Amino acid sequence: HYFKPKKSGEWQAKFFLQTVKFDAGDLPPVVDIEELNGVSAAAMRLQLQVFLTYIEKKKGVKPIIYTGLSFYKDYLKGYFDEYPLWVAHYHQPKLKVPSGDWHFWQHSDKAKISGIDHVVDFNAFNGDSLAFDKLLIK
């Protein structure tokens, strides 16, 4: 879900859950937060927390927060550390976030995969297959 800080977090969560269906074996819901949209950082965090709490109550799993490295460092770090983190930080040899703080790293948006005739996103998971399985919806 692409999060809009100017809109109610609860409204966005309800809309998201009406639109997307989840099955066992899926990744948890992901919320993409990349901009303040003219609201204060505190107001954005408040509505984001409302969204996350609502989704977690309804689905029984912590949503994943997807964001860019700069936005994470500027506005999210230290506020949502209990949620899985998916960080976009393109074309760098190393992610500049401590290893224990992230679950996914979107390394590139220009990967080539056999059988797909266009470029795709390239993501790395920070863990092994057992850790990945624990993250999935049961």
Side-chain angles (χ1 to χ4, degrees), residues 54-136:
Y54 190 92
I55 298 289
E56 188 173 354
K57 279 185 188 175
K58 294 294 184 183
K59 299 311 298 175
V61 63
K62 286 192 178 299
I64 297 170
I65 297 173
Y66 171 90
T67 192
L69 180 62
S70 295
F71 195 87
Y72 168 72
K73 286 182 174 181
D74 291 345
Y75 305 113
L76 302 174
K77 185 172 176 45
Y79 292 94
F80 300 98
D81 295 344
E82 68 275 17
Y83 290 91
L85 179 64
W86 193 331
V87 181
H89 186 56
Y90 293 168
H91 314 296
Q92 301 298 316
K94 184 178 178 193
L95 179 59
K96 296 172 183 145
V97 174
S99 179
D101 290 355
W102 62 276
H103 285 74
F104 294 94
W105 171 19
Q106 186 175 354
H107 182 269
S108 172
D109 59 351
K110 297 184 179 3
K112 295 188 181 206
I113 304 293
S114 179
I116 301 176
D117 61 358
H118 55 83
V119 295
V120 296
D121 293 345
F122 176 75
N123 296 280
F125 178 69
N126 187 15
D128 59 18
S129 60
L130 294 175
F132 186 79
D133 188 61
K134 285 181 186 176
L135 192 62
L136 302 178

